[in-house]
Structures are given as structure tokens and as C-alpha cells.
Amino acid sequence: MSPSAVTINDVARAAGVSKSLVSLTLNDRPGVKSETRERILQTAKELGWTPNPGARGLTTRRAYALGLVLRREPRTIEVDPFFAAFIAGVETVLSERGNVLVLTVVPDAAAEERAYARLAADKRVDGFLLTDLLAEDARIPLIERLGSFAVSLGAPPGGSPFPVISRDYDSGIDELVAHLVGLGHRRIAHVSGDERMLHGLRRRERFEEAARAAGLEPLVVPTDFSPEQGASATAALLDGEDRPTAIVYGNDPMAIAGMGVAHERGLDLPGELSVTGLDGSHIGSFVYPSLTTLDNDPAGFGLAAATALLRLVEDGEAADVALPPARLVVRASTAPPAR
């Protein structure tokens, strides 16, 4: 018999107990003697029994699923390795616990609100993973009104009733700017991401602070985090009268797109132009030259977020989590500027 075909009736027969005792044990309910509970659990393990999420949901009123609603252009998600690694981290936790991830991609705020309301009303998920926080994020009060749970990547300015998973980027950006200044760069540009998102805005603000602290006048070109706009911003910078000798991009995909533009222009990287990202994606180690960036570990974000949200769902409370700071990873894409 395959493990997927094993039922609680099979476990009951093999353990010599009633189906109701097996149900109480496997749902971690009281009323079962400790020795009987141990025998049932051992029998279930030997038979390879695994829980059926639908059947469990009927008895525990849980969906055994977490929701991730993304309001981004599908193209942006497709080329951004952060989300693939983040989801891999989430799935690592969920698969071990017999839970699943419900992913929904929406085009605008109205569709986003409908998605949250529908998933909560239909009880298809037990809680939500919130990414891309905004300065005034309507999702947090919405999820409160819906009576659901959430965990956010980053802390909203007004605070949150839900757990927050955070990582300090400020010290890493300081390190990055100091690294470029130490190499001799004085004209450093920042191609920032979507500044409606808190992490895009904060990265730009910290870059400006670090540049001014080094005696430099910040040069910033805002984009939407997409490689297409990263490439366009790079072309504009390279065509300008006072071309920068180094460019710091708001994420690694934009940095890689910018490197492609520079290569097409015949520039020597990093001799004539140093390039850095900020997301620490693995793909950056395979491009030429390999990309200097910050160590972000998006899979770690996913692990922490899913663990905290399941704890909130199951126990009614969960603590904030501060992940290790994002540190500078120096690779081959940065060097002293040409004379």
C-alpha cells in the first residue's frame, strides 16, 4: 500500500484501537492515554500515513494553506530571482508541515483587495505573507477587518499588529558606498527601484545619506525595479555629459541589465564602469564580471516568514524576527576607476 493510500482506518486496525482514538491522536486532541497515543503515532509512522489537508480542514476549521498576493507586473516577477528563492524558503517550511502556498498575481489595488477578501471569505488560506510594503499600506487594516492573520517583510511606519520579519540594509549600503569611495570613485549613481515601496524608498534614502557623508553629491534615477527600466536608466546615465564611474542598482536584475547595456557600448567592466546590485541573488555570481552586491538571502526570508505565520495561526501569537544584516559581497564587477 502506498503512503498516500493509507487512511486512519488502516492505522486503527494496525494499532488495534478505534478510529476515533486515532483521530484524536493525529489531531493532537486530549482524551487518549499516553501509551496508546505513542502506539498510534508509531503505527502511523510505520505505515507512512500522511495527513490529508482537506480532511483536516473539516475537523480543525483550517485551510492548511498560506496566501501570497503579489501586485506586480508578471514580467517583473518572472525575472526577479528574489521571489523564486523566497517562495522556495516558504515551501521548505510548508511541505514539512503538510501545508501549501496559494499564490495570486494581481494587476492593481482593486484586484488586490478583492483577492484578499475572496481568499479570506472562502477560508482558502489561514493567513497571508505580505511583501513590497507601501508607506501607507491598506492591506494591514484590511486583513485585520477580515479577521485573518499576516506576517510582513519589513515594518510599516505606523506599526503593525502582525509579526514583522526584518533585515537591516542600512549598514550594508554604507559598506557598499564606502567600498566604492575607497576604490577612488567620486561620480556614483544610484538606479533606484519603485519608491512607492518602502524598501525601494529606504534604499535610495540610505544611499543618499552615505554618499553625502562621503562628501559626494548623490545622483539618483528612479525606476520600477524592472530590468527594462534599469537598462533605460543605464543608457541615459552613460549618454550624459558627466558619466558616472560606478552605478549602484536597486536590485540585481537591474544591475545585470545595466551591465548588458555597458557591454553593448563597448565599455570595459569594471575598468571603465563599476556596477553593483543590492539583492544578493545567486545569478549574480555567474554573470561576467561577477556582480558585487549585498548578501540578502531571500530563502531565509521565506523560511522565517512562513515559520512565524504558522506559529501565529496555531498559537495565536508570534514574535518579530530580525534576520542577520545584509552585508557587502565583493566580486569582480567593482574596481578603481580608469584614470
Side-chain angles (χ1 to χ4, degrees):
M1 181 182 296
S2 67
S4 60
V6 176
T7 68
I8 62 173
N9 286 325
D10 299 318
V11 176
R13 283 193 294 270
V17 298
S18 67
K19 176 182 173 181
S20 60
L21 279 179
V22 174
S23 179
L24 288 173
T25 299
L26 298 180
N27 285 295
D28 199 23
R29 302 290 181 83
V32 184
K33 293 181 180 180
S34 58
E35 59 270 22
T36 303
R37 182 182 299 273
E38 290 176 9
R39 184 167 80 253
I40 292 171
L41 291 175
Q42 182 60 35
T43 301
K45 182 178 179 180
E46 291 172 354
L47 292 177
W49 176 87
T50 57
N52 179 290
R56 285 194 299 169
L58 292 174
T59 59
T60 64
R61 298 183 182 275
R62 277 194 50 194
Y64 291 90
L66 302 183
L68 176 60
V69 180
L70 297 178
R71 177 161 48 111
R72 282 202 181 196
E73 290 292 332
R75 173 65 178 161
T76 305
I77 299 169
E78 176 187 344
V79 299
D80 190 343
F82 175 88
F83 286 106
F86 172 73
I87 290 172
V90 170
E91 287 286 7
T92 298
V93 175
L94 298 188
S95 62
E96 292 175 351
R97 305 281 291 274
N99 286 244
V100 297
L101 178 68
V102 177
L103 173 64
T104 304
V105 180
V106 296
D108 53 44
E112 182 180 45
E113 182 174 344
R114 290 194 299 270
Y116 282 108
R118 183 179 66 254
L119 290 171
D122 294 346
K123 301 189 184 303
R124 291 179 57 192
V125 301
D126 298 314
F128 297 95
L129 301 159
L130 300 182
T131 66
D132 296 337
L133 284 189
L134 307 177
E136 296 182 4
D137 205 308
R139 294 174 297 175
I140 293 173
L142 171 64
I143 291 170
E144 276 194 287
R145 291 196 303 271
L146 294 172
S148 190
F149 297 103
V151 165
S152 66
L153 303 193
S160 174
F162 303 121
V164 170
I165 314 298
S166 61
R167 188 189 303 282
D168 171 35
Y169 289 88
D170 289 357
S171 57
I173 293 172
D174 291 347
E175 283 186 89
L176 180 54
V177 173
H179 167 67
L180 293 173
V181 172
L183 291 173
H185 292 278
R186 305 299 296 173
R187 297 193 305 280
I188 306 173
H190 176 43
V191 176
S192 68
D194 190 336
E195 295 181 9
R196 294 172 300 176
M197 300 178 187
L198 284 178
H199 66 286
L201 174 62
R202 184 54 191 160
R203 290 176 188 184
R204 189 264 292 171
E205 290 177 337
R206 191 65 179 194
F207 168 80
E208 292 179 332
E209 293 168 8
R212 290 194 176 102
L216 307 181
E217 183 59 32
L219 172 60
V220 176
V221 181
T223 73
D224 65 355
F225 277 125
S226 71
E228 291 83 359
Q229 290 202 13
S232 296
T234 305
L237 287 168
L238 297 181
D239 290 340
E241 292 184 2
D242 195 15
R243 192 177 77 192
T245 61
I247 304 177
V248 176
Y249 292 83
N251 66 11
D252 286 13
M254 288 200 298
I256 294 170
M259 292 169 72
V261 172
H263 283 308
E264 288 178 350
R265 301 294 178 90
L267 295 181
D268 171 54
L269 303 183
E272 294 179 281
L273 179 69
S274 286
V275 171
T276 83
L278 286 177
D279 267 348
S281 60
H282 290 303
I283 194 66
S285 62
F286 299 109
V287 299
Y288 180 79
S290 57
L291 183 63
T292 295
T293 187
L294 299 186
D295 182 13
N296 190 26
D297 186 20
F301 256 124
L303 286 165
T307 300
L309 184 50
L310 286 179
R311 184 170 294 126
L312 179 63
V313 169
E314 294 169 357
D315 301 336
E317 59 181 4
D320 293 346
V321 178
L323 297 174
R327 296 300 186 190
L328 176 64
V329 178
V330 178
R331 297 192 182 115
S333 67
T334 49
R339 290 185 179 273

